Amino acid sequence: MAQSVPPGDIATQPGTKIVFNAPYDDKHTYHIKVTNSSARRIGWAFKTTNMKRLGVDPAAGVLDPKENALIAVSCDAFAYGQEDTNNDRVTIEWTNTPDGAAKQFRREWFQGDGMVRRNQVVDMAQSVPPGDIATQPGTKIVFNAPYDDKHTYHIKVTNSSARRIGWAFKTTNMKRLGVDPAAGVLDPKENALIAVSCDAFAYGQEDTNNDRVTIEWTNTPDGAAKQFRREWFQGDGMVRRKNLPIEYNP
């Protein structure tokens, strides 16, 4: 892992929450202002926890330092009191754009090895960026033919930082690729052995070009127990990620 510059702060107006007023028998639209308070160009993207009810337009973009954007957040009509709204939220994620990149949003900025910050439309507090991890192997995972049976490959993940981290794996092909354990917690300098498996498949007849596993990690909250919690990745802290492409050796 090469060190990267953590994304700076953004500001949202409103800063803490979005309020939709009754009645809810028609569509509501609320505008929020997002300002890049940092000294670097950022790419940003919104997510919602309820895609049927909540919409964001535009959902992604690029902001130069001190530039702002006006975002329309909409809420479709729904039966208030009869539907669960407790977890409704919009989350903005942002990351520094690569040096020399055009001012055109690219989804892959959020899928690389850089740092991503997120904010659930709340006041941003300064946070310590996650440190480095080391993986063995470091760049890719190779499965050797034949592929008429399940293969398992072990990789070692080491927390090279000075803080406890929570980590979680993702795969681009859940039918073919598996990871066990898929998530966990590592103290500083601690390591874990992870089994990455590949189920039998028809090599040459299926698309394998985009197969990869991705590890994401973030600092655990101060005082948190050493037990993995998914919400660590849904809060306002920084998340780093590393991609390990899968290579199939015929």
Side-chain angles (χ1 to χ4, degrees):
M1 279 306 296
Q3 282 285 359
S4 56
V5 178
D9 288 345
I10 65 166
T12 62
Q13 292 177 288
T16 57
K17 62 182 178 181
I18 298 172
V19 178
F20 288 109
N21 295 305
Y24 301 108
D25 53 4
D26 204 354
K27 184 175 182 177
H28 291 54
T29 300
Y30 192 107
H31 289 86
I32 64 175
K33 185 179 180 182
V34 176
T35 302
N36 177 10
S37 306
S38 77
R40 292 175 63 102
R41 177 181 285 176
I42 62 168
W44 55 269
F46 273 94
K47 296 179 179 180
T48 76
T49 54
N50 191 317
M51 295 179 67
K52 291 183 178 179
R53 183 159 53 234
L54 301 172
V56 183
D57 184 34
V62 178
L63 286 175
D64 283 323
K66 316 309 175 190
E67 188 181 8
N68 60 64
L70 202 61
I71 314 297
V73 180
S74 60
C75 174
D76 284 343
F78 71 102
Y80 181 76
Q82 300 176 38
E83 299 183 30
D84 182 13
T85 60
N86 290 329
N87 293 318
D88 282 13
R89 64 176 181 270
V90 294
T91 300
I92 182 172
E93 297 184 333
W94 70 100
T95 189
N96 294 330
T97 62
D99 292 337
K103 193 177 179 181
Q104 183 175 0
F105 180 82
R106 302 293 295 271
R107 175 60 59 186
E108 53 260 40
W109 295 339
F110 293 80
Q111 299 167 341
D113 297 337
M115 300 187 201
V116 176
R117 290 182 67 175
R118 54 176 57 91
N119 182 359
Q120 296 176 19
V121 195
V122 296
D123 292 324
M124 266 319 287
Q126 283 286 356
S127 58
V128 178
D132 288 346
I133 64 166
T135 63
Q136 294 176 289
T139 58
K140 63 182 179 181
I141 297 171
V142 180
F143 289 110
N144 294 303
Y147 300 108
D148 52 4
D149 203 355
K150 184 174 182 176
H151 290 53
T152 300
Y153 192 108
H154 289 86
I155 64 175
K156 184 179 179 182
V157 177
T158 302
N159 177 10
S160 307
S161 77
R163 294 176 63 100
R164 176 181 285 175
I165 62 168
W167 55 269
F169 273 93
K170 297 179 178 179
T171 76
T172 53
N173 191 317
M174 295 180 67
K175 291 183 178 179
R176 183 160 52 233
L177 301 172
V179 182
D180 184 34
V185 179
L186 286 175
D187 284 323
K189 315 310 175 190
E190 187 181 10
N191 59 66
L193 202 61
I194 313 298
V196 179
S197 60
C198 172
D199 284 343
F201 71 102
Y203 181 77
Q205 301 177 37
E206 298 183 28
D207 183 12
T208 60
N209 290 329
N210 294 319
D211 283 12
R212 66 175 181 268
V213 295
T214 300
I215 182 172
E216 297 185 332
W217 71 100
T218 189
N219 294 330
T220 63
D222 292 337
K226 193 177 179 181
Q227 184 175 0
F228 179 82
R229 302 292 295 271
R230 175 61 58 184
E231 54 259 39
W232 294 338
F233 292 81
Q234 298 167 342
D236 298 334
M238 300 187 203
V239 177
R240 293 183 66 177
R241 57 176 58 90
K242 179 179 182 177
N243 291 322
L244 291 171
I246 307 294
E247 181 178 313
Y248 297 95
N249 178 28

